Amino acid sequence: MKKVLAGGLLIFVLLLAVVAAGCIGGGEQTGTQTPATVTETKVKTETKVETQVQEKVFVRFAGWSAGETEMKNYEKMIKAFEEQNPNIGIKYEVITQMFHENILASYGAGVAPDVFYVDSAWAPIFIDKGALYPISDLADQSFIDQFYPFLLEPFMKDGKLYGLPKDWSMLALFYNKKLFEQAGLTRPPETWEELEEYAKIIADKTGKPGLAIYLGGFNRYVPVAVSNGAPKPWFEKPEDASWFDNPVVRETLTWYIDLYRKGKTERENQGLTPYVVQPSDVGAGWLGDAFGQQEVGMVISGNWMIPFLADQFPDFKYGEDWDIAPVPAGKEGRVTMVYTVILGINAKTEHPQEAWKFVEFLLGPEGQKELVVKGGQTLPSIKGFENDPDMWPQHKKTLSFKYDQMIVFLWGPKSGPLEGKFSDAMAAAMRGEMSVDEAIEVMKQVVQEELSS
């Protein structure tokens, strides 16, 4: 009897299930319609398309300027770089006074530029302070191998390279051919003694000073000392101050300081035209300006003066009105100074890759071809342009000069501060504010104080 009841209950449940299935499924309506509440659930699928817009990065680039010409050339290159790299903007800043001191101070304030000049004389200080990004971490070795090795040496430490030179220059003698002709001079001076003699002749014959120099200028004096047999100066410890006790150093430093004391002060006291002046004595801002205005017969300066003369004094023509000759020789040979500057990258920059891209653009073959070779800025720092047809003949001529030594501007780990203080002492002696012996003692004391800490 229980089995009969169970079987009937099962059949009833199955019938209910069939009826219920017909109502939920709704696929086919039955004849009997039961009022029902229908709930609809809509599933919405959205496809989100994101468009990534790369934010423009700005790189601050700081340098000094050798004149309006250099500034215009850099502005032209920056424009070309930004056209090729629309997501990188360059902010060009020119610092005219105490460049390296200001850059170092800007680190303390957290506002140092991303890319900036560093002179060879200041490189050790910037490297020791950890201010420079190792360029060997950014550049391929094949790119570095394009540069002249002797220009890289001041910027290396412990196997790392901290910058690549943007160009280089060497000292040469610039002389005014018209003033030489008026003075009866037929060739440039061969020796330092002849340089002074020529300066006197030009002053006496033309009424224009024969030679302009800077007051101070230790680096301009060094070729005189080394070409006469003095060792190259190198100051690494306090005892190195003894370099100034070398008899050749004392003799040549006296001669160099006396150039102005005798050539300017004594001559004017005698009522004569000075045969040596500084630029401001003839109303000029620097040697290039004094020479371009044709106020002096000769100056010793670097390749950076060449584009300045072409741009600012176009009627004063190379070959016709002025020419270039090697720096005069001493008793032991002919020596010149070499100057080079890197485009350093700030070790703390937030944009090292963008900064390197800009540096690579300026320093690579295409950049140097435009800025240095065609623009005539100075001499290219990478190899292979020596016979380029676009190199300015003035620059090419300086490369043809033969020297016994070419000294890169670097006197040791504190060359920059030493150079400034040496020059201050020399300038004071040139103005007659102290004797040569007193100036030498000051310079020795500077070495001892700077290197004893």
Side-chain angles (χ1 to χ4, degrees):
M1 184 63 181
K2 288 182 180 179
K3 288 183 178 178
V4 173
L5 289 173
L9 183 60
L10 179 60
I11 292 170
F12 179 73
V13 170
L14 289 172
L15 286 172
L16 282 176
V18 169
V19 172
C23 292
I24 296 173
E28 186 177 343
Q29 293 191 0
T30 62
T32 303
Q33 295 196 5
T34 304
T37 299
V38 178
T39 301
E40 291 184 356
T41 301
K42 294 184 178 179
V43 178
K44 186 180 286 185
T45 302
E46 295 182 350
T47 302
K48 190 174 182 180
V49 179
E50 292 185 353
T51 302
Q52 292 186 342
V53 178
Q54 190 174 348
E55 189 175 345
K56 188 167 186 176
V57 169
F58 285 93
V59 172
R60 288 175 55 216
F61 167 45
W64 62 78
S65 174
E68 187 180 349
T69 311
E70 181 176 313
M71 289 176 60
K72 287 193 292 190
N73 286 339
Y74 269 105
E75 287 166 354
K76 178 183 173 185
M77 294 300 292
I78 288 169
K79 183 180 178 183
F81 174 78
E82 290 178 330
E83 287 175 353
Q84 293 181 25
N85 300 273
N87 294 320
I88 304 176
I90 305 297
K91 294 182 177 178
Y92 182 33
E93 303 168 7
V94 175
I95 301 174
T96 57
Q97 297 290 330
M98 301 182 70
F99 180 86
H100 295 94
E101 293 89 339
N102 280 319
I103 293 290
L104 286 173
S106 68
Y107 272 88
V111 294
D114 301 288
V115 179
F116 49 87
Y117 288 9
V118 181
D119 190 281
S120 59
W122 282 85
I125 292 178
F126 276 74
I127 293 171
D128 288 344
K129 288 184 177 295
L132 295 175
Y133 204 106
I135 208 72
S136 44
D137 290 354
L138 295 168
D140 293 337
Q141 188 60 42
S142 59
F143 188 85
I144 296 172
D145 288 343
Q146 299 176 94
F147 291 77
Y148 290 108
F150 78 98
L151 296 177
L152 302 181
E153 292 174 5
F155 310 103
M156 299 189 73
K157 185 173 183 181
D158 299 332
K160 282 189 177 290
L161 178 63
Y162 289 87
L164 293 167
K166 65 183 184 69
D167 52 18
W168 69 290
S169 294
M170 69 176 87
L171 289 181
L173 176 75
F174 293 70
Y175 64 99
N176 185 314
K177 294 178 71 173
K178 289 182 177 177
L179 290 179
F180 265 54
E181 186 177 348
Q182 291 176 35
L185 302 171
T186 57
R187 60 168 177 79
E190 281 289 328
T191 66
W192 295 110
E193 290 74 16
E194 209 168 56
L195 176 76
E196 185 174 8
E197 181 185 345
Y198 275 35
K200 288 180 187 173
I201 294 172
I202 292 169
D204 291 338
K205 298 284 186 180
T206 71
K208 299 254 184 177
L211 176 68
I213 62 174
Y214 288 128
L215 293 194
F218 181 76
N219 67 89
R220 307 299 175 100
Y221 149 72
V222 166
V224 182
V226 178
S227 67
N228 278 289
K232 175 191 167 186
W234 189 258
F235 307 105
E236 197 167 1
K237 54 187 183 301
E239 295 77 15
D240 292 333
S242 62
W243 185 80
F244 289 100
D245 294 327
N246 184 297
V248 175
V249 172
R250 285 186 170 270
E251 180 184 351
T252 52
L253 193 53
T254 301
W255 176 83
Y256 194 80
I257 289 172
D258 279 349
L259 272 180
Y260 191 78
R261 300 206 307 187
K262 293 181 178 177
K264 171 73 165 53
T265 309
E266 290 186 11
R267 287 275 291 196
E268 286 185 333
N269 289 340
Q270 297 167 6
L272 301 173
T273 301
Y275 62 83
V276 176
V277 293
Q278 62 173 321
S280 61
D281 293 332
V282 293
W286 67 293
L287 293 180
D289 198 21
F291 187 73
Q293 292 183 33
Q294 304 185 56
E295 292 296 333
V296 298
M298 299 177 286
V299 299
I300 293 175
S301 189
N303 295 75
W304 56 80
M305 204 171 94
I306 292 170
F308 173 79
L309 293 174
D311 188 58
Q312 299 296 312
F313 302 97
D315 295 331
F316 186 43
K317 297 187 181 302
Y318 166 69
E320 296 177 21
D321 304 317
W322 64 274
D323 209 338
I324 313 175
V327 168
K331 296 172 184 173
E332 301 294 331
R334 198 183 300 272
V335 177
T336 191
M337 287 295 303
V338 167
Y339 303 86
T340 189
V341 174
I342 60 167
L343 295 185
I345 295 178
N346 185 341
K348 297 180 180 178
T349 179
E350 295 178 356
H351 312 294
Q353 294 302 328
E354 289 83 1
W356 165 242
K357 199 163 190 175
F358 176 58
V359 170
E360 185 181 31
F361 173 79
L362 290 180
L363 302 188
E366 293 181 9
Q368 292 213 22
K369 173 82 173 182
E370 288 298 318
L371 182 62
V372 184
V373 178
K374 286 184 178 178
Q377 195 76 13
T378 44
L379 297 170
S381 55
I382 56 179
K383 295 169 279 188
F385 284 116
E386 296 82 2
N387 297 311
D388 191 289
D390 288 325
M391 179 175 281
W392 289 22
Q394 306 94 310
H395 290 305
K396 193 171 286 187
K397 188 169 184 177
T398 64
L399 285 175
S400 71
F401 299 152
K402 304 298 182 187
Y403 289 102
D404 297 293
Q405 284 192 63
M406 298 175 71
I407 301 174
V408 179
F409 183 16
L410 185 66
W411 320 133
K414 292 191 175 181
S415 299
L418 289 178
E419 170 70 24
K421 293 180 180 180
F422 290 166
S423 294
D424 287 345
M426 290 173 63
M430 287 173 160
R431 290 191 296 265
E433 298 168 1
M434 65 174 67
S435 68
V436 175
D437 286 342
E438 288 171 335
I440 288 174
E441 288 307 309
V442 169
M443 289 190 274
K444 289 174 66 176
Q445 189 176 349
V446 165
V447 174
Q448 291 161 355
E449 290 175 354
E450 285 285 338
L451 298 172
S452 61
S453 58

